[in-house]
Amino acid sequence: MRAALRTPGFKRLYAGLCASMFGDSLMLIVLSMWVKSLTGSNGAAGLTFLWLTLPALVGPLFGYVVDRIPRRPFLVAANFASALIVLPLLLVHDAGDVWLIYLVSFCYGVSFVVIPAALNGLLKDMLAEEALVEANATLSVTREAWRLVGPLAGATAFALLGGWSVAVIDAATFVVAALAVASLTVREAPLEPASLHWSAELVAGARHIRVTPLLLHPTLAVGICLLVVGFSESAVYAVLDAFDKPVEFVGPLLTVQGVGAVVSGLLSSRVIKRVGEPRALLIGLAFMAAGLLGVVASTRIWELLVSTAVLGAGLPILIVAYSTMLQLHTPGRLMGRVSTATEVLTTTPQALSIATGALLVTLLDYRVIFGLMAAGTVAGAVYLMVALRDSLSPALSGESATPVADPDPIPGSVLAEGVAAPLTGPGD
């Protein structure tokens, strides 16, 4: 973390992002809780997350815009806009206003697509290559640390004051983030004018992923996992019903998940530097599968909490390894489009699984649903082991598995073709 913190301006950026992540940790759990409390429906609550993920399906369009605008002013404007989009929640009073929660969830999803895409580019401009994994780990640990208090605080504020209080706090944290980014002085890489037809520019990110195995196969593996893990957005409420816990118990459950994530996150940069990004992805998937199987086997509440912590431990390793690979193997001029293309490729299966989970929770026992999630996660890990067996070999023999980043992995002649080959695959 020292290398990242020594970079001029990173401390201010980190402080602003900390505030924004705190607001997110409050709001994201409250959105689904609010719907559950108004409608009494587990499926309706799970659909909140579907609305959150839908904007990622048109991610390349957002990515094209991000790559055409300097990152710092874009992030300032995006954070101010995000502060405004949560304010309609002040108008929610009864079940007839659930559509407002869904609308805000959709707009929140847009924010979740464009802000990380621009932030990836800003971090690449700000930080030396060797500091990227530390910065990603620091941000991941902080995000997960807020899970220790954020969901519980959000659930408490919701229970005592109502959802409007969380909306006001969340809006304020976005303003803090905007001001922090506005205070930075960053020498950004010059923007390159569009030289191809707009359709070719739009798919440039997807094409880069397709021709870069160390991006394509991890993205597909994560997508296989997300094709089933999204079931949990609805199934978690069935778990609470089975253990005779109120809806507000989602807060403590996510806090325990955060404990596992923080402990894992503090070690993530060391693990990744030791074994390399591809092997670290496998470790993250293994922890997630173990946690999901633990939920299936749990019969007492402490067993459920331990399993949730193990599940949480897999997330930071997976996220930090994947984010670092994305930054190392993507030229700055394509960062927005590649970031949003991965959103499409991972969010499409996630959205499908959330929608499917809302149906399955009415048909199947939660143990069956979590068993399916564990099987899908294992399938993603097996695919990654087979597809990247050559890249995993150096890590197994003790050598670094992190390749040297290519400053321009896509030849101009490839981009000039202007038509992307069909893509299969996935797309948090």
Side-chain angles (χ1 to χ4, degrees):
M1 181 175 176
R2 293 178 181 176
L5 292 177
R6 285 197 299 266
T7 303
F10 182 76
K11 290 180 181 179
R12 275 173 288 155
L13 176 63
Y14 175 64
L17 294 176
C18 278
S20 179
M21 287 187 283
F22 174 66
D24 292 341
S25 72
L26 296 176
M27 178 56 71
L28 291 180
I29 184 59
V30 166
L31 289 172
S32 62
M33 284 175 53
W34 208 339
V35 174
K36 167 71 173 178
S37 66
L38 291 175
T39 66
S41 168
N42 294 335
L47 287 176
T48 305
F49 294 94
L50 177 62
W51 286 103
L52 278 166
T53 58
L54 284 178
L57 301 181
V58 291
L61 180 60
F62 293 127
Y64 178 76
V65 174
V66 170
D67 282 339
R68 302 267 71 82
I69 302 174
R71 271 61 183 260
R72 189 185 68 84
F74 181 89
L75 282 169
V76 173
N79 276 286
F80 276 127
S82 298
L84 294 175
I85 64 175
V86 300
L87 296 182
L89 293 174
L90 300 179
L91 303 176
V92 175
H93 300 293
D94 53 43
D97 299 323
V98 164
W99 69 272
L100 278 173
I101 300 177
Y102 287 155
L103 175 63
V104 170
S105 298
F106 180 84
C107 294
Y108 218 115
V110 174
S111 176
F112 271 13
V113 172
V114 299
I115 289 180
L119 181 62
N120 277 334
L122 188 69
L123 290 174
K124 189 177 180 73
D125 287 335
M126 284 185 67
L127 300 171
E129 190 172 288
E130 61 272 12
L132 282 174
V133 66
E134 293 183 9
N136 290 329
T138 300
L139 293 173
S140 180
V141 169
T142 303
R143 183 182 301 109
E144 299 302 333
W146 284 129
R147 289 178 183 263
L148 301 178
V149 294
L152 187 58
T156 302
F158 177 76
L160 297 179
L161 300 175
W164 67 268
S165 62
V166 180
V168 171
I169 294 171
D170 192 30
T173 63
F174 276 121
V175 172
V176 171
L179 294 176
V181 176
S183 72
L184 298 177
T185 301
V186 181
R187 181 178 296 177
E188 298 188 37
L191 297 175
E192 296 185 11
S195 57
L196 304 174
H197 187 270
W198 69 267
S199 60
E201 293 283 353
L202 203 62
V203 300
R207 177 176 291 279
H208 176 68
I209 295 171
R210 186 178 68 85
V211 301
T212 309
L214 284 171
L215 291 181
L216 175 63
H217 298 305
T219 302
L220 291 173
V222 172
I224 292 170
C225 173
L226 291 177
L227 193 57
V228 292
V229 167
F231 297 166
S232 65
E233 307 298 359
S234 294
V236 65
Y237 294 104
V239 174
L240 297 183
D241 290 343
F243 281 86
D244 197 27
K245 296 295 180 181
V247 63
E248 288 81 7
F249 195 75
V250 171
L253 203 62
L254 289 183
T255 296
V256 171
Q257 179 177 310
V259 171
V262 168
V263 173
S264 171
L266 290 171
L267 301 173
S268 61
S269 63
R270 187 176 304 176
V271 170
I272 292 168
K273 289 180 179 179
R274 174 77 173 176
V275 304
E277 290 87 2
R279 188 79 183 279
L281 283 170
L282 284 176
I283 294 173
L285 289 170
F287 271 102
M288 291 177 63
L292 291 167
L293 287 173
V295 173
V296 174
S298 296
T299 57
R300 288 172 286 186
I301 195 66
W302 70 265
E303 294 172 340
L304 176 65
L305 295 175
V306 170
S307 300
T308 302
V310 173
L311 174 61
L315 296 175
I317 299 175
L318 184 73
I319 293 169
V320 174
Y322 186 79
S323 298
T324 303
M325 293 178 81
L326 178 71
Q327 292 161 345
L328 290 177
H329 298 286
T330 303
R333 61 187 171 80
L334 288 176
M335 187 61 72
R337 281 165 287 178
V338 171
S339 295
T340 52
T342 62
E343 287 287 336
V344 174
L345 296 174
T346 55
T347 300
T348 299
Q350 184 180 17
L352 290 173
S353 67
I354 291 173
T356 304
L359 173 63
L360 290 180
V361 76
T362 66
L363 302 174
L364 300 176
D365 182 80
Y366 80 88
R367 297 180 191 277
V368 177
I369 297 174
F370 275 83
L372 292 173
M373 288 190 279
T377 303
V378 170
V382 171
Y383 169 80
L384 190 64
M385 290 177 65
V386 174
L388 290 184
R389 54 189 177 278
D390 293 336
S391 298
L392 291 169
S393 297
L396 291 169
S397 62
E399 302 172 18
S400 173
T402 305
V404 177
D406 181 350
D408 191 1
I410 304 182
S413 59
V414 174
L415 282 175
E417 295 174 15
V419 179
L423 287 168
T424 51
D428 192 32

